[in-house]
Amino acid sequence: MLVTRIARPLVAALVLALVAPLPVPAQRAPVILSTTTSTQDSGLLDVLVPMFERQSGYTVKTISVGTGQALALAARGEADVTLAHAPALEKKYVDEGKMLNRRLVMYNDFVVIGPEDDPAKIRGERKALEALKKIAGAGARFVSRGDKSGTHLLEQGLWKQAGVEPRAPWYIESGQGMGATLGIADDRKAYTLTDRATYLAFQKRVVLKIVVEGDRPLLNIYSVMEVNPANGTRVNVAGGKAFAEFVLAPETQQVMKTFGVDKYGQPLFVPIAGKKDEDF
């Protein structure tokens, strides 16, 4: 009888222990990545984000906009890490203390694409500035992103160096990302400036062809930057740093090195972790 009286509470406790729910681990705050449309449109993020999520346990929310917008979001504390491609603008944000620990990740290049009949006669032109002068001189249609993105900022700089002030009616601003701008340029049989990765990803959707490439000013360098926690109370410092370290890790750099080869016969990006601006 005594054994039974003692056993009953023990059995009950054992049953409760077996059926009671296990404690749920605290869920990590998601990492908010602000980045350019080119990293999204090229398909690179479709590979890197799941890879990071599996390795880190974080989930990622991606905001894909022009570089100007991507950096502005981070400066307001609305992102945790930024992957962008506008070196001069990036350095400005770093100097202001809004962004931290800027490091080079990869590069590809920009190309000028245009219609088959090439009204400005620039196919094969070696110098991008000369090509732009000829486009303006011919009054040939040119579609600009017009969105303060890294691509748009580079394009504006090229026009300025060429001594040309682009204007309507031949100069058209789409106000949209790279993929949409390619579509508009294709519809208008116009020239445009695009990063090579997005062009290759969209080349089956457009008939425009590369007419100018290989000039040094068309180099397109991407950097990763962590967001200063002083920018806002919700900045996920640990998550942002984890993503930055991830894109610079040798395993990730190797993925970038071969990304696109199977589909396009050439890599879309060249990894450059550890390099400095002066190396280019």
Side-chain angles (χ1 to χ4, degrees):
M1 182 68 71
L2 179 60
V3 173
T4 303
R5 284 200 298 267
I6 295 173
R8 283 176 180 169
L10 290 175
V11 171
L14 180 60
V15 170
L16 285 173
L18 291 172
V19 300
L22 294 173
V24 178
Q27 189 173 7
R28 286 179 162 181
V31 176
I32 300 176
L33 167 66
S34 61
T35 188
T36 73
T37 59
S38 57
T39 57
Q40 186 72 61
D41 289 344
S42 67
L44 181 64
L45 291 183
D46 293 335
V47 174
L48 295 189
V49 167
M51 184 176 165
F52 172 70
E53 290 178 334
R54 287 193 302 271
Q55 290 183 11
S56 68
Y58 285 103
T59 58
V60 176
K61 293 183 178 179
T62 301
I63 304 173
S64 179
V65 288
T67 285
Q69 292 174 274
L71 288 165
L73 284 168
R76 295 196 299 267
E78 296 175 19
D80 307 314
V81 62
T82 300
L83 183 61
H85 65 136
L89 185 59
E90 294 161 12
K91 292 173 185 177
K92 176 177 180 291
Y93 275 87
V94 170
D95 290 343
E96 293 173 352
K98 299 294 186 181
M99 306 301 299
L100 305 173
N101 205 12
R102 175 181 176 269
R103 290 171 287 177
L104 306 190
V105 176
M106 60 189 182
Y107 75 80
N108 61 6
D109 63 340
F110 289 102
V111 294
V112 179
I113 62 174
E116 185 65 37
D117 61 351
D118 188 22
K121 307 303 177 192
I122 61 171
R123 182 175 284 105
E125 172 62 59
R126 303 289 298 180
K127 298 296 183 182
L129 300 185
E130 291 303 314
L132 293 183
K133 289 177 185 178
K134 290 178 181 179
I135 290 172
R141 285 189 292 269
F142 184 98
V143 178
S144 167
R145 284 180 58 167
D147 63 350
K148 304 302 180 186
S149 62
T151 304
H152 182 217
L153 293 174
L154 173 71
E155 178 221 311
Q156 288 182 308
L158 292 174
W159 287 117
K160 186 174 181 179
Q161 292 174 60
V164 175
E165 184 177 346
R167 59 184 63 191
W170 61 269
Y171 186 75
I172 304 160
E173 292 190 333
S174 73
Q176 299 188 61
M178 196 69 257
T181 299
L182 287 177
I184 293 169
D186 198 58
D187 289 342
R188 301 289 185 91
K189 294 182 171 57
Y191 296 97
T192 192
L193 179 74
T194 175
D195 64 285
R196 187 185 297 269
T198 305
Y199 171 71
L200 289 173
F202 278 72
Q203 64 180 340
K204 291 184 178 179
R205 308 184 205 179
V206 299
V207 297
L208 301 179
K209 303 297 181 185
I210 294 175
V211 290
V212 179
E213 61 183 326
D215 195 9
R216 172 62 182 79
L218 298 180
L219 193 63
N220 184 27
I221 297 175
Y222 291 79
S223 301
V224 67
M225 291 150 286
E226 297 161 47
V227 178
N228 191 332
N231 295 357
T233 58
R234 297 184 178 180
V235 175
N236 183 349
V237 177
K241 181 176 180 60
F243 186 86
E245 296 295 339
F246 163 78
V247 296
L248 297 166
E251 180 183 356
T252 312
Q253 291 274 293
Q254 184 61 35
V255 170
M256 294 175 185
K257 186 176 182 179
T258 59
F259 176 73
V261 172
D262 57 340
K263 192 170 183 180
Y264 307 110
Q266 60 182 290
L268 300 194
F269 300 95
V270 177
I272 53 173
K275 298 285 188 180
K276 303 294 183 184
D277 289 291
E278 49 267 30
D279 294 328
F280 300 93

